[in-house]
Amino acid sequence: MYQITRAERLTDQIYLFDVVAKRVASSCLPGQFVIVKMDEVGERIPLTICDYNRETGEITIVLQTVGASTMKMARLQVGDSFMDVTGPLGMPSEFTQMPLEEVRQKKFLFVAGGVGSAPVYPQVKWLHEKGIDADVIIGARNKDLIILEEEMEKVAGNLYVTTDDGSYVRKGLVTDVVKDLVENQGKHYDICVAIGPMIMMKFVTLLTKELNIPTIVSLNPIMVDGTGMCGACRVTVGGQVKFACVDGPEFDGHQVNFEEAMKRQQMYKTYEGRAILKLQEGDTHHGGCGYCGGDK
Amino acid sequence: MDVLKKVPVREQDAKVRATNFDEVCLGYNEEEAVEEAGRCINCKNARCIQGCPVAINIPGFIEKVKNGQFEEASKVIGQSSALPAVCGRVCPQESQCEGKCIRGIKGEPISIGKLERFVADWAREHDIKPEPPKEKNGKKVAIIGSGPAGLTCAGDLAKMGYDVTIFEALHKAGGVLVYGIPEFRLPKQGVVQPEIENVKALGVKIETNVVVGRSVTIDELLHEEGFDAVFIGSGAGLPKFMGIPGENANGVFSANEYLTRSNLMKAFDDNYDTPIAVSKKVAVVGGGNVAMDAARTALRLGAEVHIVYRRSEEELPARVEEVHHAKEEGIIFDLLTNPKEILVDENGWVKGMTCVRMELGEPDASGRRRPVEIPGSEFDLELDTVIMSLGTSPNPLISSTTEGLETNKWHCIVADEEKGQTTKEGVYAGGDAVTGAATVILAMGAGKAGAKGIHEYLSNR
């Protein structure tokens, strides 16, 4: 069992937990993720490692409620436990494996959309600890959906916050900010790392292609085992089929087939919808749709 | 009683079992087992033992069954095998022990597999457990993977007094026995779990959720965690795809994914959260045991299921018993048929598959007649699900993170067959990680060889 030592609700849909997972905490690096299974009947859910403490053996994970399983997880409190936490999984971010002198010469721009701040944070922090200040853009639909702003402030070089509806700091999409920084403020970037909803990553990569900035994205497709066994997470990158769990999750954003990736993400949507209904309606759920088994 | 024929084994009726996940074969009862054992002529030079990869004293245990000494019989098997209830169910006996049986020359061989299964089930039902060794030798061995190779190696080493820890990447121990082979062939709670408990009863520790190569490396196990040797039994888990158009459409799965959802995650059971595709018409591409497992799983989940295989029935790599069971249950075999393209609807979902008819030409390198396309014979199958069951290869995660561990061009770890020794000192390997996808019992044989190799290595050090 993996004990929860902190549980916080960051927004209506985003929750943060500190969990004791010693082997993960001792070996994980930015860019990697864990698979969490809440209880005997739970799904295996891939989640971002947002932070880690090698001394205490704790990792910080952030989850967004997208289906019945994540909704159940969101109800957990300090003192509760996850039955299983496996990891770290996936490849670490490329820059963590490069010679430090080389990394120091590069100018980084991070673009975090919504819950994407969680995987971006440990990368920016890692660079900060090596004395490298990166520019960071955090964007969300509105003020309530901005997460980890304070934490990011401490480790980022310049932090730019934007909201789609203008309810906080500025009005505009993350792509508007990227454009503004490069075209109007004379900023130059060698690497852009964009993590957030698939559609955001797609539009950031379209823009950075135009601006000629190499761009890394982190994909979060459907997974089962997370160790390369099932192939559920296959994505097409540069015309080749890759498994996001072992070859990724980070890929060259200019090579990713986002259309296909977005379609594949929808695969279990109808099942998820039924499962959520079942969860919300609890004992009063009577099914009737003929599929979900609620009327059995 | 006709001594030339096996005592028939009771099975669930095909129509009934096609709608449930309960075990197909019901096994022998005491009377049936004693009667079948009575057919054994107890050869002096027992060829069946040579046919067994773990060299069980087969006439020895059958003799005990004949006399009704079932506990004694289980001890005879226990000297050679840690997983008899599993092997009695999934070993290809027809090509191993039973294939060599003298009785088989003039009639049907002794039903060795069903007798082994009977003895193992009897021992479990009567709560007979193996005893841990009296003395420990103080040496630590790490085993990577809790499948058949790892469990066997661990069991053998523990019996010799080693302090053994198995590291398993998934949340449940058992490897392919748990994620791959379906409930209706190998019940998890009733059969696999108790065999794993028996290995634990020997003193073996199992740590789940450890992905070696990520959570910890082999070098760290050897140099920081104090292990004296390592056995890699990590299997062949990486699924292959065909590389045809449409293969990334929604509704195309690897057999590994489909079976993992159903077996490990229990998606077939409404009480579990993991979803699985609700399909009307499924094509399973491939003809091996895994293809049969996937097809029969889809059938039980309510679909019409076609096996699409490019050669003829004779070349099907699956066990005859599995093909027979699949047919009985209503699986449709589209033989001499090969997929060309998966047809996708506007939302990205599978709507069909274009196939081409094949004919058999000259024998190829494998000795089997090579399938050749019949020009102009393309046709479309209407489908909503395609399951690719084309084999698996070893996961490169361990080899790529362990310096000095050589692999061949198929990513299989290079290891000596007799002792499992790899190119790295103190590191042994066996099972599918070395051979590529094979059988449970061959992996167990390799686990035994690895245990022997490690024991020699640590005794002489």
Side-chain angles (χ1 to χ4, degrees):
Chain A
M1 296 295 251
Y2 300 78
Q3 225 201 337
I4 296 169
T5 52
R6 176 165 68 132
E8 273 177 33
R9 180 166 161 274
L10 302 182
T11 74
D12 272 352
Q13 289 186 338
I14 304 177
Y15 295 77
L16 176 148
F17 298 97
D18 281 358
V19 187
V20 180
K22 291 196 172 112
R23 284 199 186 272
V24 182
S26 68
S27 55
C28 66
L29 282 169
Q32 294 185 301
F33 63 97
V34 285
I35 292 247
V36 177
K37 186 167 166 291
M38 180 175 142
D39 53 21
E40 166 61 26
V41 301
E43 284 185 75
R44 290 172 66 93
I45 310 268
L47 293 175
T48 289
I49 303 170
C50 176
D51 205 354
Y52 47 90
N53 187 327
R54 307 234 196 265
E55 275 75 51
T56 64
E58 287 166 300
I59 57 168
T60 304
I61 53 178
V62 168
L63 78 87
Q64 183 163 28
T65 53
V66 290
S69 293
T70 40
M71 282 183 189
K72 276 204 266 178
M73 269 187 198
R75 295 176 186 165
L76 293 175
Q77 298 299 326
V78 173
D80 291 340
S81 294
F82 291 107
M83 189 176 247
D84 299 285
V85 177
T86 308
L89 298 166
M91 302 288 282
S93 301
E94 204 181 3
F95 62 80
T96 66
Q97 309 296 300
M98 283 164 36
L100 212 50
E101 313 81 70
E102 221 174 286
V103 181
R104 286 213 170 91
Q105 280 160 25
K106 298 206 186 292
K107 193 70 196 148
F108 285 82
L109 172 66
F110 287 87
V111 182
V115 75
S117 287
V120 162
Y121 174 72
Q123 304 199 16
V124 178
K125 186 181 171 190
W126 189 93
L127 289 169
H128 176 73
E129 283 168 354
K130 309 281 182 289
I132 302 161
D133 284 337
D135 284 358
V136 180
I137 302 169
I138 295 183
R141 281 204 309 281
N142 59 55
K143 185 184 177 199
D144 293 338
L145 302 176
I146 299 279
I147 62 164
L148 301 172
E149 185 191 356
E150 261 176 55
E151 289 82 352
M152 202 75 89
E153 183 84 59
K154 288 181 197 149
V155 292
N158 299 298
L159 179 65
Y160 309 92
V161 177
T162 185
T163 47
D164 297 2
D165 67 353
S167 55
Y168 190 51
V169 188
R170 84 170 82 193
K171 181 177 163 70
L173 303 171
V174 287
T175 41
D176 298 331
V177 183
V178 176
K179 223 175 160 139
D180 181 49
L181 289 173
V182 174
E183 289 182 349
N184 304 328
Q185 303 197 32
K187 294 267 194 176
H188 168 84
Y189 297 107
D190 300 298
I191 297 177
C192 170
V193 178
I195 310 181
M198 212 65 103
I199 191 79
M200 180 212 93
M201 294 193 281
K202 180 186 158 184
F203 280 106
V204 171
T205 56
L206 286 174
L207 173 65
T208 56
K209 179 112 192 162
E210 242 172 68
L211 299 173
N212 218 358
I213 308 171
T215 300
I216 304 287
V217 296
S218 180
L219 301 181
N220 57 337
I222 293 167
M223 291 184 188
V224 184
D225 64 289
T227 63
M229 232 177 69
C230 79
C233 65
R234 58 194 191 278
V235 290
T236 304
V237 182
Q240 294 209 312
V241 177
K242 300 276 181 194
F243 288 2
C245 68
V246 286
D247 301 319
E250 298 189 345
F251 293 104
D252 177 349
H254 295 149
Q255 303 280 329
V256 170
N257 181 339
F258 281 105
E259 301 306 319
E260 179 188 277
M262 281 189 268
K263 277 181 184 156
R264 288 188 61 78
Q265 230 177 13
Q266 304 300 312
M267 195 157 353
Y268 289 96
K269 216 178 163 190
T270 23
Y271 305 108
E272 265 308 327
R274 288 181 198 125
I276 291 170
L277 217 57
K278 200 170 166 181
L279 183 75
Q280 285 170 344
E281 297 180 1
D283 290 341
T284 65
H285 181 73
H286 292 297
C289 63
Y291 290 103
C292 67
D295 44 359
K296 266 187 215 160
Chain B
M1 165 186 155
D2 182 352
V3 296
L4 293 181
K5 287 220 163 100
K6 290 179 174 183
V7 172
V9 69
R10 286 164 292 117
E11 286 177 351
Q12 246 202 99
D13 179 75
K15 282 214 184 69
V16 177
R17 73 181 192 239
T19 62
N20 69 45
F21 279 82
D22 299 338
E23 198 174 8
V24 170
C25 175
L26 303 173
Y28 286 151
N29 59 28
E30 291 189 12
E31 292 73 37
E32 289 161 340
V34 171
E35 188 183 340
E36 178 65 17
R39 294 179 61 228
C40 177
I41 52 177
N42 206 349
C43 306
K44 276 215 179 65
N45 179 20
R47 301 200 309 169
C48 50
I49 302 179
Q50 296 158 24
C52 176
V54 296
I56 292 173
N57 179 358
I58 293 166
F61 95 77
I62 291 182
E63 182 69 22
K64 301 288 182 197
V65 175
K66 214 182 279 179
N67 300 331
Q69 297 167 294
F70 306 132
E71 182 170 350
E72 299 303 311
S74 81
K75 284 187 180 150
V76 174
I77 298 176
Q79 288 162 6
S80 313
S81 173
L83 308 171
V86 170
C87 290
R89 286 169 167 83
V90 303
C91 266
Q93 291 101 6
E94 62 279 4
S95 59
Q96 296 178 348
C97 52
E98 294 182 21
K100 300 236 175 186
C101 177
I102 295 285
R103 269 261 179 246
I105 297 171
K106 260 199 191 153
E108 289 181 349
I110 307 297
S111 203
I112 300 169
K114 300 291 185 282
L115 286 174
E116 182 187 24
R117 168 189 162 139
F118 164 76
V119 170
D121 288 356
W122 190 93
R124 182 181 66 246
E125 281 152 19
H126 291 78
D127 213 20
I128 291 158
K129 288 209 182 312
E131 292 199 4
K134 303 253 168 351
E135 275 179 47
K136 289 256 185 192
N137 65 17
K139 288 173 189 161
K140 275 175 77 180
V141 180
I143 310 271
I144 302 166
S146 63
L151 286 172
T152 302
C153 187
D156 276 16
L157 287 168
K159 281 188 228 166
M160 293 185 242
Y162 289 91
D163 179 359
V164 183
T165 305
I166 302 181
F167 295 98
E168 166 58 46
L170 292 172
H171 59 268
K172 234 185 199 110
V176 74
L177 307 175
V178 168
Y179 76 75
I181 304 177
E183 189 71 21
F184 53 82
R185 279 221 288 141
L186 188 62
K188 308 301 159 222
Q189 212 53 42
V191 176
V192 179
Q193 204 51 44
E195 301 242 298
I196 293 170
E197 290 306 321
N198 282 347
V199 173
K200 281 190 184 165
L202 293 167
V204 172
K205 286 163 272 187
I206 302 182
E207 193 181 333
T208 52
N209 298 326
V210 182
V211 183
V212 173
R214 288 270 180 267
S215 313
V216 66
T217 62
I218 287 186
D219 286 300
E220 285 165 349
L221 289 173
L222 287 170
H223 305 304
E224 290 169 28
E225 299 202 15
F227 288 97
D228 299 292
V230 175
F231 176 82
I232 306 170
S234 51
L238 218 58
K240 290 180 187 148
F241 288 91
M242 290 188 83
I244 57 173
E247 217 170 2
N248 281 0
N250 290 355
V252 182
F253 308 98
S254 71
N256 254 9
E257 174 180 356
Y258 197 75
L259 290 170
T260 299
R261 283 179 184 275
S262 182
N263 301 335
L264 175 74
M265 306 310 295
K266 302 207 187 306
F268 71 85
D269 182 340
D270 275 346
N271 295 315
Y272 285 73
D273 294 340
T274 301
I276 194 163
V278 176
S279 312
K280 289 199 174 70
K281 197 167 165 189
V282 178
V284 178
V285 181
N289 288 321
V290 177
M292 300 304 138
D293 286 346
R296 294 169 72 196
T297 298
L299 179 101
R300 282 162 171 75
L301 292 170
E304 173 188 320
V305 186
H306 294 243
I307 290 269
V308 173
Y309 178 60
R310 62 193 182 133
R311 302 184 202 242
S312 71
E313 175 152 2
E314 210 175 300
E315 290 84 16
L316 278 171
R319 291 182 67 195
V320 173
E321 183 179 326
E322 303 307 326
V323 176
H324 169 72
H325 279 153
K327 280 188 177 169
E328 272 186 347
E329 289 165 11
I331 305 281
I332 300 155
F333 283 73
D334 295 337
L335 301 167
L336 290 165
T337 303
N338 206 29
K340 298 277 276 185
E341 178 179 356
I342 290 161
L343 306 169
V344 187
D345 73 11
E346 64 279 7
N347 297 316
W349 282 85
V350 172
K351 62 174 182 183
M353 187 161 77
T354 302
C355 298
V356 62
R357 302 265 183 225
M358 311 291 278
E359 59 188 354
L360 293 180
E362 294 300 308
D364 63 11
S366 72
R368 297 179 300 178
R369 293 175 65 194
R370 185 195 303 275
V372 187
E373 283 185 13
I374 302 174
S377 67
E378 282 84 359
F379 67 100
D380 290 349
L381 269 175
E382 200 182 300
L383 301 164
D384 55 19
T385 304
V386 177
I387 300 171
M388 291 294 177
S389 180
L390 310 159
T392 52
S393 60
N395 195 320
L397 196 53
I398 290 175
S399 46
S400 66
T401 54
T402 310
E403 217 166 302
L405 190 68
E406 259 178 50
T407 55
N408 64 20
K409 62 176 170 176
W410 298 283
H411 300 296
C412 296
I413 296 169
V414 176
D416 132 60
E417 205 176 313
E418 213 177 305
K419 292 173 190 166
Q421 192 173 355
T422 68
T423 51
K424 188 176 173 76
E425 198 196 327
V427 179
Y428 293 72
D432 287 3
V434 170
T435 56
T439 61
V440 168
I441 188 69
L442 285 174
M444 290 176 60
K448 282 195 104 55
K452 196 172 139 216
I454 287 173
H455 181 54
E456 271 178 34
Y457 165 68
L458 292 179
S459 307
N460 297 331
R461 204 167 58 151

